[in-house]
């Protein structure tokens, strides 16, 4: 039912299709919990409280005695493609756990398939119980210097897509774009202001004058705070706090201290998961997990629910649609038996009971996939020669810069120097020193060469791992201890039109296919979780002890996180924003 139809129906005193009776309403506007009935007409809430005037013999009553009625949860920032699940499969993963809406830039399908891919994914969502509130990315790729992608997002796309009825903001506005005056981003922000669209930021480790510039530009909220001090400084500068707790980046318990220890109002906070994987969500939950964690840290349960619903909706200025149980909003309602334990027992989306006890009540089928989404690799197979790093002059030993992966602070890469031996003019990895090759191979062109550098922290003793799902450009990224296994891994991904793979001694140990855009699959969340476990276990058999080997691998190309990254342009100094040589000189 369209909103126009709903409005017309209101003038004729509509009869409720469904009435939820006997439940205790969690009112996220007032902070109250009280008994109230809810009348639903079509997809929307008609009335709350005493709703008998809207009942008739055709009204269906659902007894909610013993349950709390809670707004459907809303994720304030998620790259849902990083789950490796299609929109349909991702809906199956999170809706039964109470997430009925997400805010996403769909940036990962964009760099592969452009606005056409975004439109197809948005259309797909309309056949699921999950709403996607799309925000156009500030610029794509986010990498700086820009890496190779299938489709760039320029101001031309902003002029077109910011007019879409389902565009709700400008997303992932990286602080370097603002500070360095990126022309596409600056013009996109100006256009967003004219279109009254919020601008959402990405400013990790921002402080002082840099933060002042970031806030002064008009950035409304930010999801990248690594410490409670950073969170508080952003809040003091007028930037709303989006607390992130992803499958690998665990920041909720740190940043929630702004509320529990520093006394800042919860009204300035909302939640996001940013990047999640099936195995984690199936085991621990999605936004429902964040509500439980906040309560465990001392946040009032109603305030925690507010942070997972209304606050996010208000941040994006969509609270007239979602985020609360109130007349006119979409009827996205959770039945919860205990507010502190926050066990989601039943889920209503768009006025329909869609899930119970963690399961969808009816299967949803993915759409047929267009060829342009299934054939996205143009690069030729790779050879050993392209992977070799040549030594300068006739050096027998060289000093190299190796990106040191931080286990303590996920995705942060620091500088490490090492001395490597040279054989026949080629610098080889050294597993004894934990200095491996890391390579990015662009997949969108036949005329292509890989970028190769060094990395530490994966601790491989042999073998290689590769992935075509790799934000922010989704080129093929590979870490390995030897050239033969690396080339086998990369060529397997190319042959299969996308996936993740582990290779050792010339043999493929595990392969996870990602046929849609080379980044997602239509398989069920349960099957994906099983494959995730197998492929991570295969990487651990090579010696890797990172919490989630493939999650650490795929984020090596993100240049917005200091201090180093690698793209197809080469090794990037993320502070100076330039490509540098990993060979420092003769030893």
């Amino acid at each position: 039912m369209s909103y126009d139809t709903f409005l017309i129906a209101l003038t004729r005193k509509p009869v409720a299709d469904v009435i939820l009776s006997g439940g205790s309403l969690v009112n996220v506007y007032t902070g109250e919990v009280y008994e109230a009935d809810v009348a639903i007409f079509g997809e929307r809430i008609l009335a709350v409280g005493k709703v008998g005037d809207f009942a008739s013999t055709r009204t269906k009553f659902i007894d909610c005695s013993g349950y709390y009625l809670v707004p459907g949860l809303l994720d304030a920032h998620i790259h849902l493609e990083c789950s490796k699940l299609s929109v349909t499969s991702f809906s199956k993963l999170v809706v039964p756990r109470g997430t009925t809406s997400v805010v996403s830039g769909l940036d990962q399908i964009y760099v592969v398939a452009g606005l056409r891919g975004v439109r197809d994914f948005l259309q797909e969502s309309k056949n699921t119980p999950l709403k996607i509130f799309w925000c156009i990315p500030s610029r794509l790729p986010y990498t700086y210097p820009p890496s190779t992608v299938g489709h760039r997002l320029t101001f031309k796309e902003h002029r077109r897509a910011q007019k879409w009825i389902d565009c709700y903001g400008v997303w992932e506005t990286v602080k370097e774009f603002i500070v360095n005056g990126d022309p596409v981003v600056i013009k996109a922000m100006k256009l967003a202001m004219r279109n009254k669209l919020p601008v959402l930021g990405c400013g990790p480790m921002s402080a002082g004058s840099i933060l002042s510039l970031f806030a002064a530009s008009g950035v409304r909220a930010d999801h990248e705070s690594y410490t409670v001090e950073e969170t508080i400084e952003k809040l003091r500068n007028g930037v709303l706090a989006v607390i992130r707790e992803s499958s690998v980046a665990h920041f909720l318990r740190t940043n929630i201290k702004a509320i529990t220890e520093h006394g800042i109002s919860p009204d300035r906070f909302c939640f996001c998961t940013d990047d999640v994987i099936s195995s984690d969500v199936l085991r621990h939950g999605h936004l429902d997990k964040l509500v439980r964690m906040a309560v465990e840290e001392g946040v009032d349960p109603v305030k925690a629910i507010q942070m997972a619903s209304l606050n996010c909706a208000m941040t994006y200025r969509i609270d007239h649609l979602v985020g609360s149980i109130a007349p006119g909003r979409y009827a996205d309602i959770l039945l919860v038996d205990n507010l502190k334990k926050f066990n989601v027992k039943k889920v209503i989306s768009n006025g329909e009971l869609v899930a119970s006890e963690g399961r969808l009540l009816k299967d949803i089928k993915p759409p047929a996939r267009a060829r342009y989404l299934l054939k996205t690799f143009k690069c030729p197979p790779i050879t050993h020669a392209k992977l070799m790093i040549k030594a300068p002059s006739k050096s027998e030993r060289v000093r190299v810069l190796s990106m040191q992966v931080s286990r303590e602070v996920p995705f942060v890469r620091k500088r490490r120097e090492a001395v490597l031996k040279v054989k026949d003019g080629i610098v080889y990895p050294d597993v004894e020193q934990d200095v491996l090759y890391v390579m990015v191979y662009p997949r969108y062109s036949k005329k292509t060469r890989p970028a190769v550098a060094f990395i530490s922290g994966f601790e491989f003793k042999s073998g290689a791992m590769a992935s075509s799902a790799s934000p922010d450009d989704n080129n093929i990224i590979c870490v390995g201890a030897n050239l033969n296994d690396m080339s086998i891994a990369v060529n397997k991904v190319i042959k299969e039109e996308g996936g993740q793979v582990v290779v050792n001694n010339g043999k493929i140990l595990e392969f996870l296919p990602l046929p849609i855009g080379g980044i997602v699959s239509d398989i069920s969340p349960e099957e994906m979780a099983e494959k995730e476990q197998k492929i991570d276990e295969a990487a651990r058999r090579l010696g890797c002890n990172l919490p989630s080997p493939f999650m650490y691998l795929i984020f090596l190309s993100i240049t917005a996180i200091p201090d180093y990254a690698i793209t197809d342009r080469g090794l990037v100094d993320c502070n100076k924003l330039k490509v540098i040589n990993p060979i420092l000189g003769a030893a």
Side-chain angles (χ1 to χ4, degrees), residues 15 23 27 43 60 70 92 104 106 168 183 209 231 238 272 325 374-375 395 464 488 493 506 508 561 584:
V15 171
N27 193 312
E43 298 178 340
K60 177 183 178 182
V70 174
K92 295 176 183 179
S104 181
L106 297 178
Y168 292 93
S209 60
T231 296
C272 83
I325 301 175
L374 301 175
K375 299 293 182 181
S395 304
I488 291 173
V493 170
I508 295 171
I561 302 175
L584 302 176

Side-chain angles (χ1 to χ4, degrees), residues 447-495:
K447 296 179 180 179
T448 188
R449 288 191 64 84
V452 189
F454 301 99
I455 194 160
S456 300
F458 280 85
E459 301 180 312
F460 283 7
K461 300 305 179 185
S462 61
M465 62 192 295
S467 174
S468 58
S470 178
D472 289 316
D473 47 34
N474 292 305
N475 287 310
I476 305 170
I477 190 159
C478 179
V479 166
N482 67 81
L483 300 178
N484 184 57
D485 285 344
M486 291 180 74
S487 61
I488 291 173
V490 171
N491 289 335
K492 174 66 173 177
V493 170
I494 295 170
K495 179 181 178 181

Side-chain angles (χ1 to χ4, degrees), residues 379-420:
C379 57
I382 201 164
T383 61
H384 290 187
K386 287 188 175 183
L387 288 171
M388 296 175 178
I389 298 180
K390 295 182 179 180
S393 64
K394 297 181 180 181
S395 304
E396 294 183 357
R397 293 159 64 89
V398 294
R399 289 185 304 112
V400 304
L401 189 162
S402 181
M403 293 189 292
Q404 177 66 56
V405 173
S406 170
R407 185 185 180 91
E408 290 72 29
V409 186
F411 315 141
V412 171
R413 282 85 56 173
K414 295 295 184 181
R415 182 186 184 94
R416 177 189 170 189
E417 292 189 16
V419 175
L420 298 179

Side-chain angles (χ1 to χ4, degrees), residues 224-538:
E224 286 274 5
S225 292
Y226 284 61
T227 66
V228 66
E229 291 79 14
E230 182 181 355
T231 296
I232 292 171
E233 188 176 358
K234 286 175 178 174
L235 286 164
R236 287 172 175 170
N237 279 271
V239 179
L240 295 168
V242 182
I243 294 182
R244 172 177 59 175
E245 181 74 15
S246 77
S247 289
V248 178
H250 306 296
F251 293 110
L252 186 145
R253 296 194 193 279
T254 294
N255 290 329
I256 206 76
K257 292 177 182 178
I259 299 170
T260 58
E261 295 183 7
H262 296 268
I264 295 175
S265 170
D267 295 345
R268 306 296 292 171
F269 295 80
C270 59
F271 290 142
C272 83
T273 62
D274 205 2
D275 307 290
V276 294
I277 55 176
S278 293
S279 50
D280 178 45
V281 174
L282 291 173
R283 191 180 306 119
H284 301 296
H286 189 233
L287 286 174
D288 57 321
K289 176 184 76 172
L290 274 63
V291 172
R292 287 191 291 271
M293 289 176 66
V295 172
E296 289 170 5
E297 294 299 311
V299 176
D300 176 79
V302 174
K303 286 296 184 183
I305 292 167
Q306 178 186 328
M307 292 163 67
S309 55
L310 178 64
N311 289 8
C312 174
M314 293 180 70
T315 296
Y316 285 87
R317 300 172 184 157
I318 53 176
D319 50 302
H320 60 299
L321 299 173
V322 292
S324 64
I325 301 175
R329 277 66 174 179
Y330 282 105
D332 298 341
I333 301 169
L334 314 182
L335 274 59
V336 176
D337 61 356
N338 184 300
L339 292 186
K340 288 187 176 180
K341 294 181 180 179
F342 204 75
N343 298 313
V344 177
K345 309 302 285 185
K346 298 180 187 295
V347 180
I348 295 168
S349 175
N350 297 325
E352 180 183 358
L353 182 64
V354 296
S356 179
E357 300 295 340
R359 297 281 181 183
L360 286 180
L361 295 178
K362 64 179 181 180
D363 192 24
I364 46 177
K365 301 294 184 183
R369 301 296 175 184
R371 178 179 171 81
Y372 84 96
L373 286 173
L374 301 175
K375 299 293 182 181
T376 59
F377 287 73
K378 298 179 181 178
C379 57
I382 201 164
T383 61
H384 290 187
K386 287 188 175 183
L387 288 171
M388 296 175 178
I389 298 180
K390 295 182 179 180
S393 64
K394 297 181 180 181
S395 304
E396 294 183 357
R397 293 159 64 89
V398 294
R399 289 185 304 112
V400 304
L401 189 162
S402 181
M403 293 189 292
Q404 177 66 56
V405 173
S406 170
R407 185 185 180 91
E408 290 72 29
V409 186
F411 315 141
V412 171
R413 282 85 56 173
K414 295 295 184 181
R415 182 186 184 94
R416 177 189 170 189
E417 292 189 16
V419 175
L420 298 179
K421 295 178 181 179
V422 177
K423 182 179 179 180
D424 299 327
I426 304 301
V427 185
Y428 286 94
D430 185 343
V431 297
E432 298 304 319
Q433 295 189 68
D434 182 28
V435 180
L436 307 177
Y437 267 172
V438 59
M439 176 269 283
V440 173
Y441 191 43
R443 64 172 168 118
Y444 304 103
S445 171
K446 293 181 179 179
K447 296 179 180 179
T448 188
R449 288 191 64 84
V452 189
F454 301 99
I455 194 160
S456 300
F458 280 85
E459 301 180 312
F460 283 7
K461 300 305 179 185
S462 61
M465 62 192 295
S467 174
S468 58
S470 178
D472 289 316
D473 47 34
N474 292 305
N475 287 310
I476 305 170
I477 190 159
C478 179
V479 166
N482 67 81
L483 300 178
N484 184 57
D485 285 344
M486 291 180 74
S487 61
I488 291 173
V490 171
N491 289 335
K492 174 66 173 177
V493 170
I494 295 170
K495 179 181 178 181
E496 301 295 337
E497 288 283 340
Q500 296 181 333
V501 65
V502 177
V503 176
N504 194 32
N505 296 324
K507 295 182 179 179
I508 295 171
L509 302 184
E510 292 290 343
F511 178 69
L512 193 166
L514 300 172
I516 305 168
I519 58 174
V520 297
S521 170
D522 277 325
I523 63 175
S524 71
E526 291 77 14
E527 186 178 353
M528 179 62 76
E530 182 180 349
K531 290 181 178 295
E532 286 171 347
Q533 183 177 358
K534 287 182 178 179
I535 204 162
D536 273 347
E537 286 176 352

